[in-house]
């Protein structure tokens, strides 16, 4: 066992009582999430803080004399941060990055593109004026500068980011805006009365029991957060626009414990408003401001549903010149200097997992849990916000190397489980969030995208 300063840092960002950090212990394992940057420490901090937030809320609702003890095991955390890689669907491994989602040499350096979604791939190809062929894209990019590609592809609605060194990113206007913000932004929106949480009895202790979570997220960080809230007993309904289906394997990996519905906010507002009228939490993962035209800004949501907890996650943050840009973990790594640090002179590198996504997801779930606990004492609608770029800033500049530990990480092993589902036989990673008396697995397997009715269970 070892004490973990990174949990203290994350817990402080969440506004938690410093004395409760003593309830956390850790098993440090050599070989888990090995990297030049302190990825293992980031993962420990995010998962440990999330488990502590769950234990705190559980103690409140379970009328316990003290907060249950939390254990954060590097092995469980490392396996969970690779959950999308360990997933099997009827024995089939998931589809990873698409052929056009990769690093490319440019005339003056490197650029990374993201083209997993068909519409992003089409916009990239249109910008370059080439067919869907790796060699053709490679030749077109080799003739242009990295920043030229970055701006042209973005202007067309695609995704490409130039490789930057940490020092280059540090003076970029977006980086300066990100660094000026806290790791976890927390705000009280009004003076709504204190939340009355029904007491909990029995085992396992499920702190989010009875809470309704409207999940308007996509890709990884947001869905990881809502998957965690589902683990803890929340009724989580993911809602997507019907014209933007999620990648099937990605949806399966992050869909445990949830149901999945589709709604078009331009035509199905009545159905959405009915869901919102009894929701307790709304989690969004779209670009900041993208949902405001539907009346879904944090302030508007709180006015329509006083006492709501609104949580937002984005790639670049809600401030600075890149606030309206789309982004993914891999692209934030490239812009922020992480890819340069983890690579070599010959080739940029990457973190051993999509750690910005996973880490931010667990922090987002923790921020929701802490907001619910604070509401039970103080009331008020709450708003919490995180950004992958701010988590990257914490990784590069805010975390020191932690204890190595005497244990060795030997792979996912016993941390894998199997279940039948409507998607087929699934092999998946068990959740890393662990506290005394808490759940060890999700109550429900994932369902096919968009197959659930748009109503609460």
């Amino acid at each position: 066992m070892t004490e973990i300063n990174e949990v203290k840092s994350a817990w402080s960002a969440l506004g938690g009582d410093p004395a409760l950090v003593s309830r956390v212990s850790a098993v440090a394992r050599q070989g888990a999430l090995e990297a030049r940057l302190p990825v293992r420490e980031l993962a420990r901090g995010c998962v440990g803080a999330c488990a502590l937030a769950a234990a705190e809320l559980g103690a409140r609702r379970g009328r316990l004399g003290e907060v249950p003890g939390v254990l954060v095991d590097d092995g469980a955390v490392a396996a969970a941060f690779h959950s999308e890689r360990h997933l099997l669907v009827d024995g089939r491994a998931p589809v990873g990055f698409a052929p056009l989602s990769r690093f490319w040499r440019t005339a003056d350096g490197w650029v990374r593109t993201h083209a997993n979604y068909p519409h992003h791939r089409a916009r990239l190809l249109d910008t370059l004026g080439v067919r869907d062929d790796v060699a053709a894209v490679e030749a077109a990019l080799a003739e242009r500068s990295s920043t030229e590609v970055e701006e042209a592809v973005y202007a067309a609605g695609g995704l490409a980011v130039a490789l930057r060194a940490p020092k280059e990113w540090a003076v970029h206007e977006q980086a300066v805006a990100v660094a000026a913000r806290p790791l976890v932004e927390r705000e009280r929106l009004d003076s709504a009365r204190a939340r009355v949480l029904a007491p909990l009895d029995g085992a396992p202790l499920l702190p989010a029991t009875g809470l309704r979570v409207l999940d308007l997220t996509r890709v990884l960080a947001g869905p990881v957060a809502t998957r965690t809230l589902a683990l803890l007993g929340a009724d989580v309904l993911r809602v997507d626009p019907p014209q933007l289906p999620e990648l099937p394997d990605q949806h399966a990996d992050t869909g445990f414990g949830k149901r999945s519905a589709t709604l078009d906010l331009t035509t199905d507002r009545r159905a959405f408003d009915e869901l919102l009228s009894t929701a307790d939490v709304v989690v969004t993962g779209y670009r900041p401001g993208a949902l405001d035209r539907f009346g879904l800004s944090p302030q508007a949501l709180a006015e329509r549903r006083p006492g709501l907890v609104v949580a937002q996650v984005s790639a670049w943050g809600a401030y600075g010149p890149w606030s309206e840009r789309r982004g993914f973990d891999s692209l934030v790594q490239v812009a922020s200097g992480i890819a340069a640090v983890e690579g070599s002179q010959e080739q940029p590198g990457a973190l051993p997992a999509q750690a910005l996504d996973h880490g931010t997801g667990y922090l987002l779930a923790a921020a929701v849990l802490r907001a619910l606990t604070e509401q039970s004492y103080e009331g008020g609608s709450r708003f919490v916000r995180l950004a992958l770029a701010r988590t990257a800033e914490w990784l590069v500049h805010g975390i020191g190397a932690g204890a190595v530990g005497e244990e060795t990480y030997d792979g996912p092993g016993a941390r894998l489980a199997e279940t039948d589902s409507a998607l087929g036989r699934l092999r998946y990673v068990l959740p890393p969030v662990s506290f005394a008396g808490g759940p060890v697995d999700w109550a429900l397997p994932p369902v096919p995208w968009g197959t659930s009715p748009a109503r609460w269970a």
Side-chain angles (χ1 to χ4, degrees):
M1 299 289 182
T2 183
E3 192 171 304
I4 30 179
N5 290 325
E6 48 271 22
V7 172
K8 295 179 182 178
S9 178
W11 188 245
S12 176
L14 293 163
D17 178 358
L20 293 182
V21 177
S22 65
R23 303 300 299 158
V24 183
S25 56
V27 178
R29 296 184 185 274
Q30 299 181 45
L33 298 172
E34 283 191 316
R36 292 173 182 166
L37 291 167
V39 178
R40 180 177 52 180
E41 288 76 10
L42 175 133
R44 276 188 205 148
C46 294
V47 173
C50 184
L52 184 56
E56 178 191 36
L57 182 59
R60 174 76 167 155
R61 297 192 65 182
R63 300 177 181 177
L64 306 180
E66 63 178 359
V67 171
V70 167
L71 176 65
V72 56
D73 186 322
D74 282 353
V77 172
F81 270 52
H82 288 123
S83 64
E84 68 276 9
R85 302 183 193 178
H86 294 309
L87 178 74
L88 292 180
V89 182
D90 285 334
R92 176 186 60 81
V95 176
F97 284 105
L100 300 187
S101 296
R102 47 168 276 193
F103 285 107
W104 308 85
R105 281 194 179 275
T106 62
D108 63 348
W110 293 86
V111 70
R112 181 152 189 169
T113 55
H114 196 289
N116 284 9
Y117 289 96
H119 57 292
H120 290 153
R121 181 175 65 250
R123 290 163 187 169
L124 172 66
L125 295 171
D126 287 346
T127 302
L128 299 178
V130 299
R131 65 188 183 280
D132 190 353
D133 177 78
V134 169
V137 173
E138 190 171 44
L141 290 172
E143 297 176 351
R144 306 189 186 195
S145 72
S146 300
T147 54
E148 177 190 355
V149 172
E150 178 180 89
E151 292 303 321
V153 173
Y154 164 69
L159 292 158
V161 172
L163 177 73
R164 291 172 172 83
K167 289 183 179 180
E168 292 177 280
W169 178 245
V171 297
H172 191 283
E173 191 176 350
Q174 185 62 31
V176 172
V178 165
R181 300 285 177 147
L183 177 63
V184 181
E185 295 184 71
R186 304 161 53 246
E187 183 180 347
R188 180 170 175 166
L189 298 174
D190 57 29
S191 57
R193 65 171 184 252
R195 178 181 292 276
V196 178
L197 294 167
L200 297 178
D201 295 310
L205 182 61
L206 300 171
T209 296
L211 298 171
R212 291 173 167 174
V213 178
L214 199 51
D215 179 359
L216 308 179
T217 68
R218 293 181 67 80
V219 192
L220 199 49
V224 164
T226 51
R227 182 181 68 181
T228 303
L229 296 174
L231 168 74
L232 299 171
D235 178 9
V236 179
L237 180 64
R238 174 164 167 168
V239 176
D240 286 284
Q243 67 274 20
L244 286 177
E246 185 59 280
L247 300 174
D249 292 338
Q250 196 163 262
H251 182 73
D253 175 56
T254 59
F256 283 86
K258 310 178 193 179
R259 291 172 300 113
S260 171
T262 60
L263 279 179
D264 188 333
L265 293 181
T266 61
T267 59
D268 299 328
R269 282 306 298 270
R270 179 174 295 182
F272 181 84
D273 289 343
E274 289 178 0
L275 290 171
L276 179 63
S277 68
T278 56
D280 299 289
V281 179
V282 174
V283 185
T284 69
Y286 294 82
R287 288 171 296 141
L291 298 178
D292 290 5
R293 64 191 176 97
F294 298 109
L296 302 183
S297 69
Q299 192 63 53
L301 285 168
E303 289 173 358
R304 293 163 63 191
R305 175 68 171 152
L308 195 67
V309 173
V310 182
Q312 285 186 354
V313 62
S314 65
W316 305 108
Y319 26 78
W322 285 17
S323 62
E324 296 184 358
R325 295 197 178 194
R326 297 171 179 86
F328 294 94
D329 181 306
S330 59
L331 302 182
V332 175
Q333 289 189 41
V334 173
S336 64
I338 290 173
V341 172
E342 294 293 337
S344 65
Q345 291 183 347
E346 294 76 29
Q347 177 82 28
L351 298 178
Q354 293 188 69
L356 304 181
D357 263 331
H358 284 277
T360 304
Y362 287 110
L363 277 181
L364 186 66
V368 170
L369 294 166
R370 288 244 58 254
L372 291 165
T373 297
E374 290 177 342
Q375 282 183 327
S376 72
Y377 291 101
E378 305 167 359
S381 302
R382 303 286 171 141
F383 175 45
V384 296
R385 181 165 58 197
L386 288 93
L388 303 189
R390 184 60 182 83
T391 304
E393 163 75 15
W394 187 44
L395 172 64
V396 175
H397 300 292
I399 303 177
V404 174
E406 297 179 358
E407 304 286 340
T408 300
Y409 178 54
D410 54 359
R415 301 170 184 95
L416 298 176
E418 294 192 5
T419 187
D420 289 317
S421 76
L423 299 169
R425 184 71 176 174
L426 301 180
R427 186 192 75 175
Y428 63 99
V429 178
L430 292 168
V433 173
S434 176
F435 58 95
V440 297
D441 202 349
W442 289 275
L444 300 171
V447 299
W449 182 84
T451 58
S452 304
R455 61 174 181 266
W456 297 114

